[in-house]
Amino acid sequence: MASRIRLEDRECPLSTTVQHVGEWWTLLILHDAFDGYTRFDQFQESLNISSSMLTTRLRTLVADGLLERRPYQTNPVRHEYVLTERGRSLRPVVVALAAWGNRQLPPAERSMILIDAGTGEEAEPVVVDARTGRSLDDSEAFVFAAGPAASEAMRARYTELERKRRARAARTAGTAPASD
């Protein structure tokens, strides 16, 4: 996929991640791979995608280290596409996206749900902090901050956002005049 990262976002993990998986077909191919599909014809039949588009997407997924191309037949040579550890680590992201989509629909209109394979019970995926178990949905309780490798520009961005957040909190609490 051609780089669509803005110069100022080149160190942002969201921007760099979207570069790898932000394309429509890429997520659908990964979803099929999580369901156990490995062969070109399986992906093509499942997704009704053109051969050229599928070839391009699979090459990109292999180049990005999300799938590994392995021969499964020698005469003629045929390859399968197997999730790598890096690719498998994206499953929670795909699950979260599907869960978000389902939350927008009444239960009777959901065409795909996540279930516990052992019990058959529907799962309700949430993204939580591993240390506390608290849901990360609250953008006031959990905020982004500059990390150890942040550039000065990234540090300035998050310093300013923190200043604004504190000012909003103070106004809400009635302890500071409005100055934003």
Side-chain angles (χ1 to χ4, degrees), residues 18-46:
V18 168
Q19 179 184 11
H20 296 291
V21 298
E23 198 272 332
W24 162 276
W25 288 116
T26 298
L27 288 172
L28 296 177
I29 292 166
L30 286 171
H31 175 255
D32 276 1
F34 296 134
D35 280 348
Y37 296 159
T38 60
R39 298 186 179 173
F40 189 95
D41 59 329
Q42 293 173 319
F43 291 119
Q44 190 170 34
E45 182 179 340
S46 171

Side-chain angles (χ1 to χ4, degrees), residues 54-92:
L54 181 56
T55 298
T56 301
R57 292 291 124 234
L58 289 171
R59 279 187 187 145
T60 300
L61 287 164
V62 169
D64 287 346
L66 302 172
L67 293 176
E68 179 184 342
R69 186 173 183 246
R70 294 183 192 161
Y72 70 88
Q73 178 180 308
T74 56
N75 193 13
V77 175
R78 300 242 191 264
H79 294 88
E80 63 182 353
Y81 298 86
V82 180
L83 285 161
T84 63
E85 182 59 37
R86 184 176 189 199
R88 284 188 299 276
S89 72
L90 277 168
R91 188 166 192 274

Side-chain angles (χ1 to χ4, degrees), residues 27-168:
L27 288 172
L28 296 177
I29 292 166
L30 286 171
H31 175 255
D32 276 1
F34 296 134
D35 280 348
Y37 296 159
T38 60
R39 298 186 179 173
F40 189 95
D41 59 329
Q42 293 173 319
F43 291 119
Q44 190 170 34
E45 182 179 340
S46 171
L47 299 171
N48 196 25
I49 183 175
S50 73
S51 294
S52 62
M53 179 60 73
L54 181 56
T55 298
T56 301
R57 292 291 124 234
L58 289 171
R59 279 187 187 145
T60 300
L61 287 164
V62 169
D64 287 346
L66 302 172
L67 293 176
E68 179 184 342
R69 186 173 183 246
R70 294 183 192 161
Y72 70 88
Q73 178 180 308
T74 56
N75 193 13
V77 175
R78 300 242 191 264
H79 294 88
E80 63 182 353
Y81 298 86
V82 180
L83 285 161
T84 63
E85 182 59 37
R86 184 176 189 199
R88 284 188 299 276
S89 72
L90 277 168
R91 188 166 192 274
V93 175
V94 172
V95 167
L97 285 170
W100 181 86
N102 272 343
R103 281 193 298 273
Q104 311 312 306
L105 299 171
E109 293 181 20
R110 297 174 182 172
S111 62
M112 176 188 74
I113 59 172
L114 184 69
I115 63 166
D116 180 312
T119 66
E121 293 292 319
E122 185 172 354
E124 188 174 339
V126 294
V127 180
V128 299
D129 174 43
R131 287 182 292 152
T132 65
R134 291 173 43 214
S135 174
L136 299 179
D137 289 350
D138 184 347
S139 61
E140 292 297 320
F142 293 95
V143 298
F144 288 105
S151 66
E152 285 304 314
M154 183 70 81
R155 289 182 192 289
R157 169 192 170 110
Y158 285 109
T159 298
E160 180 62 14
L161 288 172
E162 177 63 13
R163 185 193 66 74
K164 288 180 179 181
R165 187 184 69 74
R166 288 178 188 260
R168 275 193 313 272

